């Protein structure tokens, strides 16, 4: 588990994330994955251009809930690109906790990201510099 991942981020669980059953509400997982994705892009691609013109949109998210997350859990997310297409790419995530130096898988997720021109309101090819940076970081051809 995790050997293909170079990006890891810490999850900050807020008290307000906990539901009446005493664990993180399932709706919060997408927020955690979004935060990990933003940190991934901060590290891997140039995040400094005008996002109101060209950027990405989330087209699909699929989450597998394996074990519940609790307030004081020491939780991390591994993030990597698992597929690169012409206009879209997939990001794969694993959420896990550290428990006495052992990793316990809590959840996994795949999101489909589409490169998008916000002015023209249509999908566009993934930027060449993104393909190169992501490809190099995650060994994607």
């Amino acid at each position: 588990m995790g050997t293909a991942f170079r990006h890891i981020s810490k999850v900050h669980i807020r008290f307000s994330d906990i539901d009446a059953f005493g664990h993180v509400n399932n709706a919060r997982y997408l927020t955690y994955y979004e935060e990990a994705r933003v940190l991934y892009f901060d590290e891997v691609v140039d995040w400094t251009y005008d996002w109101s013109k060209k950027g990405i949109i989330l087209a699909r998210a699929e989450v597998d809930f394996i074990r519940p997350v609790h307030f004081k859990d020491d939780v991390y997310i591994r993030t990597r690109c698992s597929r690169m297409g012409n206009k879209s790419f997939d990001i794969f995530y694993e959420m896990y906790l550290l428990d006495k130096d052992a990793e316990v898988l809590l959840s996994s997720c795949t999101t489909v990201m589409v490169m998008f021109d916000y002015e023209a309101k249509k999908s566009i090819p993934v930027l060449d510099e993104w393909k190169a940076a992501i490809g190099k970081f995650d060994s994607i051809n």
Side-chain angles (χ1 to χ4, degrees):
M1 189 177 7
T3 57
F5 293 86
R6 292 185 55 207
H7 188 270
I8 298 173
S9 54
K10 173 103 171 97
V11 175
H12 300 283
I13 301 168
R14 295 168 297 272
F15 182 75
S16 61
D17 296 344
I18 307 303
D19 63 17
F21 298 105
H23 53 72
V24 171
N25 184 278
N26 63 337
R28 296 291 187 198
Y29 285 63
L30 286 175
T31 299
Y32 297 156
Y33 288 126
E34 177 185 56
E35 290 170 353
R37 184 170 58 248
V38 168
L39 291 171
Y40 173 87
F41 287 130
D42 277 345
E43 183 175 339
V44 178
V45 299
D46 183 8
W47 203 231
T48 59
Y49 64 89
D50 186 353
W51 278 86
S52 66
K53 295 181 179 165
K54 291 181 182 170
I56 51 174
I57 58 172
L58 175 68
R60 177 181 165 88
E62 184 176 326
V63 180
D64 291 316
F65 301 97
I66 299 164
R67 296 182 121 172
V69 177
H70 299 93
F71 181 57
K72 296 289 186 173
D73 286 346
D74 191 18
V75 178
Y76 297 85
I77 295 177
R78 290 187 264 262
T79 308
R80 68 177 169 88
C81 181
S82 58
R83 180 194 64 86
M84 180 60 69
N86 293 324
K87 292 185 174 185
S88 67
F89 53 96
D90 295 350
I91 302 291
F92 180 69
Y93 318 77
E94 288 182 341
M95 183 184 299
Y96 64 98
L97 74 86
L98 294 178
D99 183 29
K100 299 178 185 151
D101 296 326
E103 294 181 1
V104 178
L105 187 62
L106 302 169
S107 173
S108 64
C109 177
T110 300
T111 57
V112 177
M113 310 306 300
V114 175
M115 190 62 70
F116 198 75
D117 182 327
Y118 286 93
E119 293 177 320
K121 296 186 179 18
K122 65 177 188 173
S123 63
I124 57 174
V126 176
L127 302 175
D128 289 338
E129 58 268 25
W130 278 45
K131 278 188 174 185
I134 292 169
K136 182 178 178 184
F137 189 81
D138 283 326
S139 300
I140 301 278
N141 294 330

